[in-house]
Amino acid sequence: MQTMNQIRAWVLISWIVSLCLVIPVIALLLQSFATDTALFKHLWATVLTDYVINTVQLVLLVLLFAAIFALPSAWLIAMCEFRWRKQFQWLLMLPLAMPAYVVAYIYTDLFDFSGPIQRSMRALFQANTPVGEYWFFEIRHVGGAALMLALVLYPYLYLIARTAFLEQGANLFQVSRTLGLSPWQSFKRVALPLCRPAIVVGLIFIGAEALGDFATVHYFAVNTLTTAVYDSWLGHGSLSAAAKISMLMLVSVMGLLAIERWQRGRQRFYHKSSGHIIRFKLNKQQSMAAITWCLFLLMAGFIIPVLILMDYAVNYFSAGWQDKLWQVLLQSICLALVAAVITTMMAILFVYTTRLSSKCSTHIPLRISMMSYVMPSTVLAIGVLISITFFETSINDWLVNLGYPPPGLFLSGTVFALIFAFVVRFQAVANGTIEASFLNISPSLDMASKTLGKSNLQTLFSVHIPLIKKGIFTAMLLVFIEGMKELPAALLLRPFNFDTLATYVYQFVSDEQLEQAAVAAILIVLAGLIPVIRLTQTGKTSP
Amino acid sequence: MLKVKLQQSHPIALDVDLYCNNGEILALVGPSGAGKSTVLRCIAGLHSPKQGQISCSNHEWFNSANKIDLTPQQRRIGIVFQNYALFPHLTVKQNICLALDKSEHTNTQKIDNLLAQVNLTGLEQRYPEQLSGGQQQRVAIARALAREPDVLLLDEPFSAVDKVTRRKLYLELNSLRQQLRMPIIFVTHDLDEAAMLADSMVVLHHGKTLQQGSPQQIMYQPDNVAVAKQVDVRNLFEGQIVMTEEGHQLHWHDLVLELGDIEPFHHQQAICWTISPAKVILHQRVRPSRGEQENPIAGQIVEILTLRGITTILVAVSKANNLIIQMDVSEHVAQRNSLQKGQQITMSIIASAIHLMNR
């Protein structure tokens, strides 16, 4: 039974590697039951309730704002005909490339008492009123944080809703038109109820992102569960309290994902059509309104922040181009590149193993390895920290018992922890891309190769890898970009005096000096644009 | 000689028993989901059945009792897949080289011979996407033959090409089998294709071998009703055998038909019977024949269809509850007798052409 033995070796390696990736989850789970509860009890008795309320408020407000931004735009783009519709179709995705904390900084600068908008208003009304004497929208508030997050997260919902409207569109909306419904009535009475499951999926994804955000809420001094995790660990040094709060977040995310799954299941019952779409032709006034709305989102979410960043970059050019920037850039590139290579190699291992046998046991490692993607980065970082600390302590104890000097903390505080976290976090990204590439290869090619005398390894190298070259490149690119942008895990796990591009920019943001890191911020935006461009290319299905 | 015995209950039920001699073409026929491709994959070592034996030229490839299960790499199999499974990133020559040992890569004579064998000389630097369907199939065959296999397996090899190309490929396969002294097994759901190319046929249904025999046997003398239905036998009826002093008779509704040999059936046994549409004899107005004395039946034409010189006539037999008998005659016979829908005709069911089966 040599065939099975060959396959078993692949399956065994897959299982071992995938189990390594869930160690942070298990460690977090175990640590959250640890007895060191003093700090957690103190937090619970004092501020944790407020943190939970803030978190719920933040998530609900982000969802509300994102729905307001995304749904009308998705409807307009999918079902209405107006000038520049095709351009707006992809332009509305651009805010995805903006880090929320950069947008937050820029708008705070704009809307603050000393910012240009309030200054202009005071000049206009010739008022020399001190702070608090007149009403103005307070941006440093949970509402402001939610607005900033919604501005950069709404494209997820926009994309999902637009696709849903298009899929439902061809027949049913035409029927609604023949029944005499106006565009607005069609949207309210046909589109929204029909696409509700897809919309819920998009909203839950945004909710999970908002729940895991650290930088924006921290900048606005809005205390949420994420900031509580940071305070517990970095402020009070209690890994146990951080683990408990992380577990609370994880359970919340799991709850959201359970709803998402349920809604996805329901989507199957909905009608999908593929016919040609006849769009509502908007009149001149309606067209102007549609263009204004789309332009507002594009300006607010991308163009204004980018223009201001460019202005900063030009004005503070000498401050921006520091030697430190080059060093940080190099470090970020190396880190992201290593993570990209490792995750892609592991993705090839997991996905290829699933091709070798249809047995359930060959597919589990692939699924296990994708589990960590649902964890907010902060939670994952705590899990990584706990598992590495446990490993180091065990090694130290073991060596001491053997009479050797303990090596100390040889992993935590090194880039290893960071790379491990990145690999765990982004494995799902690589897996998804590699799996999609493998799916394009007919299973009969594998069979043909085997009957031509090639082993599984030879088949992988001579048949599959040449055929999925593009997929490998895309997987590496996506992980690389995610690695360049990743902030919360980097903040918690980076070694002393070690910065990534994201932590470098964030440091300046939190010191109210983004101007000096504008060049770095632009680099992050440029990196973020690459997957957005890819997404718009693959999503260009509508005529 | 290839001998295959397979048994398993899941994931796909298999109860297969077949053989194929060297130089012979065996067709595996059956509806979609009958397990034809699974049987092929078991032979190739791409799927391991729960139980059974597979041996080729006295070499055991699979024996569940002795825990022998050679890998596909060890079996020396040439297989041509339905979509040909050519490696799209490799040229014709590279596709063939993949099947050769590294030491043979420089053996251009061997590669040239293989290409010549399948009429592909001059196309060695092309990529699969630059080839027509027929050419792709030839590359797949050349690649399958490159390892000098002990068995050649073809999984629906003609389904991906148009009708004209298919006819050419039939001829090429026929001439190829003259050169190859190995068992060739091909899977098809096209009965005409199987009847034309194969020396023997195996009918599979729900993973079970229903019958193995020559195409003539399978098509005109199926073992049972299940086989008859699988090979779409026309004129399948139920009746009862009665033995009288005058001989053996078949009682079919209100009709009594004379029978020839009835072994192994017995008196009063309820059976199924069939007759090939080509062996139902039309009583011609202008040219009566002696055969007309034998089992004459009257009926009314309910449909006439002509295709490529053969006229198919459907006749409702009033004395048999208006059951329909199909009769195939040459087009000119139909024209000469001015056959028309609604016309009353008589025909003969030749006793020796009646094939009896268990119900």
Side-chain angles (χ1 to χ4, degrees), chain A residues 1-3 6 442 444-445 447-456 462-463 466-467, chain B residues 41 46 67 69 71-74 77 79 81 83 85-89 98-99 143 147:
Chain A
M1 305 276 169
Q2 294 190 28
T3 317
Q6 285 178 2
S442 163
S444 55
L445 291 192
M447 297 184 211
S449 176
K450 284 174 198 170
T451 57
L452 295 173
K454 302 294 165 202
S455 67
N456 290 328
S462 59
V463 177
L467 288 175
Chain B
R41 280 166 199 189
L46 296 165
K67 296 205 183 299
D69 185 7
T71 61
Q73 292 88 343
Q74 294 166 323
I77 289 281
I79 186 163
F81 291 91
N83 57 4
L86 297 180
F87 304 117
H89 59 299
L98 203 76
R143 190 180 67 179
R147 280 190 88 208

Side-chain angles (χ1 to χ4, degrees), chain B residues 34-48:
Chain B
K36 306 182 295 284
S37 294
T38 307
V39 172
L40 226 55
R41 280 166 199 189
C42 287
I43 297 171
L46 296 165
H47 175 78
S48 296

Side-chain angles (χ1 to χ4, degrees), chain B residues 27-31 36 156 158 166 170 186-198 200-204 211 214-220 226-234:
Chain B
L28 285 184
V29 297
K36 306 182 295 284
E156 304 218 21
F158 308 109
R166 203 177 296 176
Y170 288 159
F186 85 102
V187 161
T188 181
H189 57 257
D190 186 333
L191 288 167
D192 295 333
E193 189 173 280
M196 185 177 8
L197 295 170
S200 69
M201 276 167 75
V202 167
V203 181
L204 278 177
Q211 187 178 353
S214 70
Q216 294 297 317
Q217 279 174 320
I218 301 272
M219 309 281 264
Y220 303 117
V227 178
K229 283 184 177 165
Q230 288 309 313
V231 296
D232 196 26
V233 158
R234 307 279 102 189

Side-chain angles (χ1 to χ4, degrees), chain A residues 253-411:
Chain A
V253 173
M254 290 290 190
L256 286 174
L257 285 172
I259 302 172
E260 191 251 29
R261 281 259 150 185
W262 176 59
Q263 287 294 333
R264 266 194 203 275
R266 287 170 61 117
Q267 268 183 298
R268 280 178 298 174
F269 301 108
Y270 285 79
H271 163 86
K272 280 191 178 178
S273 62
S274 55
H276 178 69
I277 290 164
I278 300 169
R279 293 190 165 84
F280 296 102
K281 191 141 182 77
L282 302 185
N283 62 33
K284 213 170 182 182
Q285 286 80 13
Q286 288 169 330
S287 284
M288 279 307 293
I291 293 168
T292 309
W293 174 247
C294 294
L295 210 54
F296 158 70
L297 286 177
L298 181 66
M299 296 289 285
F302 189 75
I303 293 178
I304 291 175
V306 166
L307 286 178
I308 291 175
L309 272 181
M310 286 166 74
D311 181 51
Y312 288 163
V314 172
N315 287 328
Y316 296 84
F317 188 75
S318 52
W321 287 100
Q322 297 171 3
D323 285 346
K324 169 101 178 177
L325 175 64
W326 291 111
Q327 187 197 339
V328 165
L329 185 63
L330 191 68
Q331 283 172 183
S332 271
I333 289 173
C334 290
L335 195 68
L337 200 62
V338 171
V341 170
I342 296 173
T343 46
T344 307
M345 281 167 59
M346 279 161 47
I348 292 171
L349 167 74
F350 295 139
V351 180
Y352 186 59
T353 306
T354 64
R355 284 180 81 91
L356 297 178
S357 163
S358 56
K359 278 187 181 170
C360 185
S361 61
T362 58
H363 290 252
I364 294 173
L366 176 68
R367 301 296 152 216
I368 288 178
S369 67
M370 293 168 96
M371 269 171 53
S372 306
Y373 195 63
V374 303
M375 294 172 81
S377 289
T378 313
V379 177
L380 172 70
I382 294 295
V384 168
L385 213 54
I386 295 166
S387 42
I388 287 181
T389 312
F390 175 77
F391 179 69
E392 286 168 335
T393 316
S394 307
I395 293 285
N396 279 311
D397 290 348
W398 181 61
L399 287 173
V400 168
N401 282 340
L402 290 174
Y404 293 104
L409 303 177
F410 56 95
L411 288 177

Side-chain angles (χ1 to χ4, degrees), chain B residues 105-357:
Chain B
H105 283 193
T106 49
N107 187 350
T108 49
Q109 185 63 44
K110 181 168 181 176
I111 297 167
D112 290 345
N113 286 347
L114 282 163
L115 289 169
Q117 200 169 9
V118 292
N119 304 321
L120 274 176
T121 308
L123 300 180
E124 49 270 53
Q125 295 308 326
R126 289 207 191 168
Y127 285 90
E129 62 175 12
Q130 297 169 316
L131 302 173
S132 68
Q135 288 168 333
Q136 286 184 22
Q137 200 216 40
R138 288 185 205 129
V139 178
I141 291 176
R143 190 180 67 179
L145 295 176
R147 280 190 88 208
E148 295 168 13
D150 294 331
V151 176
L152 183 62
L153 306 174
L154 312 166
D155 190 358
E156 304 218 21
F158 308 109
S159 62
V161 288
D162 59 79
K163 246 180 174 177
V164 177
T165 313
R166 203 177 296 176
R167 274 198 220 111
K168 277 187 207 162
L169 292 172
Y170 288 159
L171 295 172
E172 285 180 20
L173 178 64
N174 205 37
S175 74
L176 197 65
R177 60 92 65 90
Q178 321 275 341
Q179 306 163 38
L180 304 172
R181 299 299 302 164
M182 67 180 81
I184 301 173
I185 300 183
F186 85 102
V187 161
T188 181
H189 57 257
D190 186 333
L191 288 167
D192 295 333
E193 189 173 280
M196 185 177 8
L197 295 170
D199 300 298
S200 69
M201 276 167 75
V202 167
V203 181
L204 278 177
H205 188 53
H206 293 313
K208 188 175 161 59
T209 311
L210 294 182
Q211 187 178 353
Q212 175 164 7
S214 70
Q216 294 297 317
Q217 279 174 320
I218 301 272
M219 309 281 264
Y220 303 117
Q221 294 169 325
D223 276 354
N224 50 49
V225 179
V227 178
K229 283 184 177 165
Q230 288 309 313
V231 296
D232 196 26
V233 158
R234 307 279 102 189
N235 300 334
L236 187 61
F237 307 109
E238 293 179 348
Q240 190 178 31
I241 294 171
V242 176
M243 288 178 168
T244 65
E245 290 172 359
E246 295 160 17
H248 307 134
Q249 291 179 340
L250 173 65
H251 285 205
W252 182 45
H253 296 278
D254 298 338
L255 291 166
V256 176
L257 305 174
E258 289 172 23
L259 284 175
D261 184 19
I262 63 157
E263 281 297 326
F265 303 98
H266 55 79
H267 178 57
Q268 296 272 321
Q269 186 175 349
I271 47 87
C272 278
W273 66 277
T274 181
I275 182 162
S276 162
K279 293 188 176 172
V280 179
I281 294 173
L282 173 72
H283 293 188
Q284 299 186 45
R285 279 185 296 187
V286 288
R287 195 183 286 177
S289 73
R290 282 173 56 203
E292 290 176 4
Q293 306 300 319
E294 201 170 328
N295 292 337
I297 295 177
Q300 185 180 29
I301 297 176
V302 291
E303 198 59 77
I304 302 180
L305 296 164
T306 301
L307 183 69
R308 291 191 186 153
I310 299 292
T311 300
T312 295
I313 305 157
L314 302 183
V315 183
V317 181
S318 57
K319 283 190 172 177
N321 214 10
N322 275 329
L323 285 173
I324 307 290
I325 280 195
Q326 182 178 325
M327 170 171 47
D328 290 344
V329 298
S330 59
E331 191 179 357
H332 74 269
V333 170
Q335 281 172 353
R336 200 166 53 213
N337 289 276
S338 312
L339 296 180
Q340 285 175 349
K341 210 167 155 179
Q343 186 181 339
Q344 284 288 337
I345 58 164
T346 52
M347 56 202 164
S348 277
I349 306 285
I350 303 297
S352 60
I354 295 175
H355 174 66
L356 305 178
M357 293 167 282

Side-chain angles (χ1 to χ4, degrees), chain A residues 101-179:
Chain A
Y101 52 91
V102 171
V103 177
Y105 179 92
I106 287 166
Y107 282 112
T108 309
D109 210 33
L110 278 178
F111 287 109
D112 248 1
F113 181 78
S114 55
I117 292 183
Q118 287 207 47
R119 270 206 324 268
S120 309
M121 284 178 71
R122 284 199 299 273
L124 190 69
F125 297 113
Q126 293 177 336
N128 200 12
T129 324
V131 186
E133 290 291 304
Y134 62 94
W135 183 89
F136 193 79
F137 166 64
E138 177 53 75
I139 196 164
R140 285 181 187 269
H141 184 259
V142 66
L147 192 62
M148 297 304 111
L149 284 167
L151 265 182
V152 297
L153 291 176
Y154 85 84
Y156 287 120
L157 179 60
Y158 158 76
L159 186 68
I160 290 175
R162 195 192 74 190
T163 312
F165 290 147
L166 285 171
E167 283 178 348
Q168 301 288 342
N171 301 330
L172 296 175
F173 299 147
Q174 281 164 36
V175 170
S176 75
R177 294 177 68 179
T178 62
L179 294 173

Side-chain angles (χ1 to χ4, degrees), chain A residues 394-516:
Chain A
S394 307
I395 293 285
N396 279 311
D397 290 348
W398 181 61
L399 287 173
V400 168
N401 282 340
L402 290 174
Y404 293 104
L409 303 177
F410 56 95
L411 288 177
S412 45
T414 68
V415 283
F416 173 82
L418 213 45
I419 291 171
F420 183 41
F422 278 22
V423 168
V424 175
R425 172 93 175 124
F426 305 128
Q427 190 58 54
V429 176
N431 283 2
T433 314
I434 296 292
E435 194 177 14
S437 300
F438 266 102
L439 278 178
N440 288 330
I441 302 175
S442 163
S444 55
L445 291 192
D446 303 34
M447 297 184 211
S449 176
K450 284 174 198 170
T451 57
L452 295 173
K454 302 294 165 202
S455 67
N456 290 328
L457 197 64
Q458 286 171 320
T459 302
L460 176 64
F461 280 101
S462 59
V463 177
H464 293 100
I465 287 183
L467 288 175
I468 60 162
K469 269 188 300 195
K470 276 186 191 167
I472 291 173
F473 176 73
T474 310
M476 285 179 63
L477 184 71
L478 289 180
V479 175
F480 176 79
I481 290 159
E482 290 283 338
M484 292 283 282
K485 286 170 66 185
E486 173 61 34
L487 177 68
L491 275 177
L492 273 173
L493 297 170
R494 65 190 163 140
F496 287 116
N497 270 336
F498 183 96
D499 265 310
T500 66
L501 210 51
T503 61
Y504 177 77
V505 172
Y506 178 70
Q507 208 59 55
F508 281 96
V509 166
S510 57
D511 293 345
E512 307 272 351
Q513 292 178 329
L514 176 65
E515 295 83 352
Q516 299 196 22

